Amino acid sequence: MKNTNNSAKVLVPLTAGLALMVPLFLGNNYYYDIFIMAGIYTIIGSGMNLLLGFTGQLSMGHAAFYGFGAYITAIGMKSYGLPFWLCVILAVGFCFAMGMLLGSTSCKLSGIFLVVVTTGFNTVVNLIMVNWEFTGRSFGIPGIPKPDWFGSPMNKLQYCYLVLAFVFLALFVSYRVVHSKTGRAFQAMRDNAIAARSVGVNVNKYKLLVFAVSAVYAGVAGALYASNIGYISPTSFTSNVSVTIITMTVLGGLGDLCGCIVGAVVVGVLMEALREFGDYQLTLYGVLIVVILIFMPKGLMGGLRSLYRRLCSLVSRRRTPAKQEEV
Amino acid sequence: MLLTAEKITMKFGGLVAVDNVDFAIDSGEIRAIIGPNGAGKSTFFNAISGQNYPTSGRILFDGRDITKLPSHRIAKLGMTRTFQNILLFDDMTVLENVMVGDHINIKTNMLTEILCLPHVFREERRCVEKAEEMLDFVGLLPYKDQRSASLPYGKKRLLEIARAMVSGPKLLLLDEPAAGMNAAESAELVDTIRRISQRGVAVLIVEHNMKVIMNISHRITVLEQGKVIAEGEPAEIQANERVIQAYLGKEA
């Protein structure tokens, strides 16, 4: 335990520092976009991790919340001329409410039934996007402006740092929640709901809360996505995207705060790296994920941690005989 | 009376598992419920602690009607329990398990936790101290950083008791705490239950291990086929004709 705490003291600032440096060396818009998407995936992934990894609830409808954030920002900024930050606040509020609504179904349903309901929710929301005049129907909404930075629209480099700021905020919030009463209640109801109730945890209340909070993560990610890409359409928010969100979280490592970073970066980069394989892209992607999960059931982060532990014990084994000689 | 159950009946379809049971327990008492398999002991337990609701009857705890309260509200009023088939939070550490037990006493919420208000850290420290003190009480302090799933069976039982005790309940319900324990482990358990009672906590215990029961309980209630057939001090129960019949059958 102490070992990992000490290494965290070094690794956290190191990773944060690295993340802060990276945008400076990217140089062109293509790489900026990969960086920004990895950041957006990290945000949405850490929300999914709170839900799936720490509370054990499955939502196949998170692309809908992602979509809410994106559409609220797109319509707000373009049609009503609202500033970006106000759109984010609106997205947060709306997603919180809708997350509670979807979460209320989880009080009665679990397992496969919850999967069906949340998939249905995603499909309904997607159909509304496709058919409603207000959301631009299947054409979507083009020409979404960038946020203002002291009077002029942000450039890609500045946007990288905006996303990074939200990533730090998201991870900080997750960290605080997990290491306090609320997070313990989440984990307790994941491990055993009956026992959690017996010590006074209001399981239904916390289910609503965790759905709402993870929906907020997705909403913020959606807002950042819309303003970065400048054009959104319903195809970006189908239930396939929900599956990608879950894949990323599981791949990174469930119930591991750093897992979603690894998952997001790997999925983000992998999708781009495999692009040159054309039609085989999705196949290779699938095969890689299966292989990784067979060899690292606790995700990439779980694999890294056990590798680190093995290295530590190897080092200490070499050290101990030396110490005994000194004595 | 700390807990009063009036005319509790529990039916599952046509099966009457608990039949018109009147029951009361005083504060500070150690009370046992015994009876042959299928007598309705665990069902009665679940009715009291809100896991199931009785079909009819009324339950008063500390002067409040708790008949229709869900179990998390009952826990808040000061009644906690352990389970026959040990229910721990397997992926959490031993210490965290006990900290969850103190859930109802921590005065923070998600917003204050995110905002890092000073009282959040104070509450957290207090919670850790209390949990460690409770682990020390049941003798599990050396294991506090282990995953709870990795504990041996007997220690899991003690951890469940620590989790139920940490919030400072008025009544502790133990559902077959000695099941599957060897002699040394059950002796340790008896000692732990005695010390719990010394803290002024009333203990209600369902158990099959007669040695444990006769050793610690102040009074014993005997159930058979959902009905109370006897109630009294251990010596009285041991001599009771009706009880002996229920366990051993009638002499020919």
Side-chain angles (χ1 to χ4, degrees):
Chain A
M1 281 302 275
K2 268 192 182 145
N3 238 336
T4 49
N5 278 342
N6 283 338
S7 62
K9 265 178 205 151
V10 184
L11 281 176
V12 170
L14 202 73
T15 320
L18 201 68
L20 281 169
M21 298 288 285
V22 166
L24 295 174
F25 298 100
L26 290 173
N28 74 45
N29 277 352
Y30 177 63
Y31 291 126
Y32 282 138
D33 273 338
I34 294 180
F35 183 87
I36 288 167
M37 276 321 286
I40 287 170
Y41 283 153
T42 305
I43 295 169
I44 199 167
S46 41
M48 179 51 82
N49 201 11
L50 277 183
L51 186 69
L52 184 59
F54 286 96
T55 322
Q57 302 293 314
L58 184 59
S59 162
M60 298 280 283
H62 260 51
F65 300 118
Y66 187 42
F68 288 146
Y71 273 93
I72 286 171
T73 309
I75 295 168
M77 287 180 85
K78 201 187 161 196
S79 311
Y80 296 94
L82 301 176
F84 179 74
W85 58 267
L86 189 59
C87 293
V88 172
I89 291 173
L90 285 175
V92 165
F94 189 72
C95 286
F96 192 89
M98 293 307 281
M100 285 243 264
L101 190 71
L102 187 64
S104 65
T105 63
S106 75
C107 298
K108 292 275 176 201
L109 304 171
S110 63
I112 192 79
F113 301 102
L114 190 57
V115 171
V116 172
V117 168
T118 49
T119 312
F121 173 77
N122 203 143
T123 311
V124 169
V125 169
N126 205 247
L127 282 174
I128 292 173
M129 289 171 184
V130 172
N131 289 296
W132 198 11
E133 190 67 56
F134 188 59
T135 57
R137 299 188 185 245
S138 50
F139 302 112
I141 301 173
I144 307 159
K146 285 263 183 325
D148 270 349
W149 184 254
F150 293 113
S152 58
M154 276 188 171
N155 62 31
K156 284 276 180 189
L157 180 64
Q158 286 163 338
Y159 205 82
C160 282
Y161 285 109
L162 178 72
V163 171
L164 210 50
F166 275 104
V167 169
F168 287 151
L169 184 66
L171 291 172
F172 175 75
V173 168
S174 286
Y175 177 84
R176 284 299 308 146
V177 169
V178 168
H179 290 91
S180 55
K181 176 178 109 168
T182 309
R184 277 195 302 275
F186 285 166
Q187 294 169 68
M189 56 200 249
R190 171 196 65 194
D191 286 358
N192 198 309
I194 294 173
R197 281 198 193 93
S198 83
V199 288
V201 176
N202 186 346
V203 168
N204 285 352
K205 181 183 114 182
Y206 280 101
K207 274 186 183 169
L208 291 187
L209 188 64
V210 75
F211 263 92
V213 169
S214 77
V216 165
Y217 278 76
V220 170
L224 289 167
Y225 172 76
S227 186
N228 176 54
I229 219 90
Y231 163 74
I232 55 170
S233 72
T235 48
S236 308
F237 311 106
T238 60
S239 42
N240 278 345
V241 178
S242 291
V243 175
T244 311
I245 295 167
I246 291 168
T247 310
M248 200 159 70
T249 317
V250 175
L251 193 69
L254 286 178
D256 193 316
L257 282 176
C258 310
C260 50
I261 311 173
V262 181
V265 172
V266 169
V267 168
V269 174
L270 208 62
M271 284 301 248
E272 289 304 321
L274 295 177
R275 204 168 281 267
E276 56 182 292
F277 294 99
D279 289 345
Y280 301 104
Q281 183 195 9
L282 281 175
T283 317
L284 278 172
Y285 173 70
V287 169
L288 266 173
I289 284 168
V290 170
V291 169
I292 289 173
L293 284 182
I294 285 174
F295 290 104
M296 302 177 183
K298 283 188 171 173
L300 286 168
M301 206 54 211
L304 283 177
R305 278 185 203 274
S306 70
L307 192 73
Y308 176 77
R309 267 197 301 275
R310 246 180 256 170
L311 279 177
C312 279
S313 65
L314 228 126
V315 170
S316 65
R317 223 179 291 156
R318 268 196 202 151
R319 261 188 212 157
T320 11
K323 267 184 192 166
Q324 276 168 349
E325 277 172 14
E326 280 168 30
V327 174
Chain B
M1 283 291 147
L2 181 60
L3 178 87
T4 321
E6 295 166 357
K7 296 193 167 42
I8 299 298
T9 299
M10 290 212 57
K11 289 183 189 160
F12 298 103
L15 177 82
V16 185
V18 176
D19 192 0
N20 220 11
V21 168
D22 282 306
F23 181 85
I25 178 169
D26 232 339
S27 40
E29 188 180 354
I30 301 179
R31 170 72 69 90
I33 301 181
I34 61 171
N37 286 326
K41 305 180 298 287
S42 287
T43 312
F44 181 63
F45 235 56
N46 289 342
I48 294 175
S49 59
Q51 264 75 34
N52 292 326
Y53 301 125
T55 318
S56 65
R58 201 161 74 113
I59 305 163
L60 295 172
F61 177 64
D62 213 12
R64 287 188 56 170
D65 189 337
I66 59 162
T67 318
K68 290 285 171 197
L69 285 190
S71 57
H72 69 265
R73 295 276 307 278
I74 293 177
K76 231 172 206 168
L77 293 175
M79 186 202 301
T80 55
R81 64 168 294 172
T82 66
F83 297 86
Q84 194 175 334
N85 49 332
I86 309 182
L87 304 179
L88 288 175
F89 309 125
D90 282 346
D91 276 336
M92 302 173 81
T93 66
V94 169
L95 182 68
E96 283 169 342
N97 264 270
V98 182
M99 286 172 79
V100 175
D102 205 24
H103 184 84
I104 54 172
N105 293 325
I106 306 175
K107 289 171 193 63
T108 65
N109 59 46
M110 193 160 169
L111 197 64
T112 58
E113 286 157 5
I114 293 168
L115 294 176
C116 299
L117 299 187
H119 84 279
V120 173
F121 297 102
R122 243 188 346 258
E123 290 279 304
E124 194 72 6
R125 258 197 313 278
R126 192 194 49 79
C127 177
V128 171
E129 276 166 20
K130 249 174 105 178
E132 285 181 343
E133 190 263 335
M134 192 42 72
L135 280 174
D136 194 34
F137 179 77
V138 297
L140 289 179
L141 195 55
Y143 303 92
K144 66 172 181 152
D145 290 329
Q146 271 188 32
R147 255 180 92 232
S148 67
S150 69
L151 286 182
Y153 185 82
K155 303 237 182 303
K156 281 188 182 176
R157 289 252 175 237
L158 290 175
L159 176 56
E160 231 193 347
I161 293 175
R163 184 183 67 192
M165 275 293 292
V166 71
S167 59
K170 299 187 188 90
L171 175 62
L172 177 68
L173 311 187
L174 303 174
D175 197 352
E176 300 202 19
M181 280 189 169
N182 61 32
E185 283 172 332
S186 58
E188 197 185 343
L189 179 77
V190 166
D191 174 58
T192 307
I193 295 174
R194 280 230 177 82
R195 285 186 295 130
I196 288 171
S197 176
Q198 280 161 11
R199 292 189 163 200
V201 179
V203 180
L204 177 59
I205 171 170
V206 164
E207 187 49 70
H208 280 297
N209 186 331
M210 288 302 155
K211 211 171 160 191
V212 170
I213 290 293
M214 297 302 167
N215 222 329
I216 53 170
S217 31
H218 300 145
R219 288 177 73 78
I220 297 173
T221 302
V222 189
L223 282 182
E224 192 202 8
Q225 299 196 339
K227 290 194 175 75
V228 178
I229 57 165
E231 193 172 299
E233 287 168 19
E236 293 173 50
I237 295 297
Q238 271 171 317
N240 188 309
E241 281 289 318
R242 186 78 188 74
V243 176
I244 295 167
Q245 258 179 39
Y247 270 89
L248 301 175
K250 218 174 194 165
E251 238 175 290

